[in-house]
Amino acid sequence: MKIAKDSVVRFHYTVSEVGQESLESSKDREPLAILYGHGNIIPGLETAMLDREAGASFGVDVAAADAYGEKRDGLSQRVPKKHFGAQKLEPGMQVVLQTNFGPRAVTVQKVGMSVVDVDLNHPMAGKDLHFDVEIVEVREATAEELEHGHVHGDGGHHH
Ligand code: ZN
C-alpha cells in the first residue's frame, strides 16, 4: 500500500546538513515508526513520503523552514545547574533538559557557579537538511493508534 494519511510508516533515515557529513542516522537501531499525516515528523519529510511504498529509497533536501524552523533570537534561558545532574558542562555542548513540555535538546551557552545559560533553539534549527530515507513498512493504523495520535509497538510507543 502507498503512504497516505493515517498510514503507519516504519523507516530508516540519515540526516545531514546539505553537502556535509551525516549528523544522525537510525541505521544502527530500530527503524523509526510514525503515524503519517499527524505532524509526527518535520513537514518537509512528511511531504516527501506521500505515495511511497515499502522498499522505496529516496533522498530529499528540506529547507530549514520545513525542517526545524529558523533559528530564533531571544530563546536563551537561565537554568539552575542542579537540573543538569552531575554531568560536566561546556559551552557549545548539547544536552537534554527535562522541561514541563518533556525532554528537550538545548545548547549550553555559558556555565556559571550555580546557573547555566542555554539556547532553547533546536540544534538543527536554521539548517537546510538532506535526508536519505528507506521505507521499511507501510500499514494501516489501528483505531487505538489513531485515537492516541502515535504508533504502538516496534519503533513506536510502548505503554
Ligand atoms: Zn498510545
Side-chain angles (χ1 to χ4, degrees):
M1 63 178 279
K2 289 183 173 181
I3 295 173
K5 185 160 174 11
D6 299 342
S7 298
V8 167
V9 183
R10 292 175 71 225
F11 65 101
H12 273 300
Y13 69 93
T14 300
V15 57
S16 56
E17 252 186 276
V18 172
Q20 299 196 29
E21 280 178 50
S22 73
L23 292 167
E24 192 188 313
S25 176
S26 64
K27 286 282 167 65
D28 47 5
R29 47 181 201 262
E30 286 288 294
L32 192 65
I34 59 141
L35 185 58
Y36 187 86
H38 291 254
N40 288 175
I41 50 169
I42 59 167
L45 196 51
E46 198 157 62
T47 304
M49 275 187 184
L50 186 66
D51 284 337
R52 311 256 186 191
E53 295 180 81
S57 292
F58 61 94
V60 60
D61 287 341
V62 180
D66 290 321
Y68 293 95
E70 301 296 345
K71 208 171 163 89
R72 291 190 287 152
D73 292 332
L75 278 186
S76 286
Q77 194 162 314
R78 187 155 282 181
V79 181
K81 214 172 190 173
K82 63 180 183 209
H83 289 269
F84 295 86
Q87 59 187 324
K88 191 174 177 338
L89 300 170
E90 281 172 34
M93 219 175 126
Q94 279 167 19
V95 292
V96 176
L97 199 59
Q98 300 302 325
T99 73
N100 293 338
F101 309 102
R104 181 156 183 178
V106 302
T107 306
V108 174
Q109 292 177 307
K110 197 173 149 199
V111 184
M113 289 289 282
S114 58
V115 294
V116 180
D117 291 345
V118 297
D119 181 352
L120 297 178
N121 278 295
H122 189 282
M124 291 189 203
K127 293 180 178 171
D128 296 332
L129 301 175
H130 179 83
F131 287 86
D132 287 305
V133 177
E134 184 190 326
I135 307 295
V136 176
E137 185 193 357
V138 182
R139 65 168 168 87
E140 278 178 51
T142 65
E144 193 187 43
E145 285 172 327
L146 287 173
E147 197 182 308
H148 288 202
H150 56 229
V151 177
H152 293 159
D154 289 351
H157 288 240
H158 298 272
H159 61 98

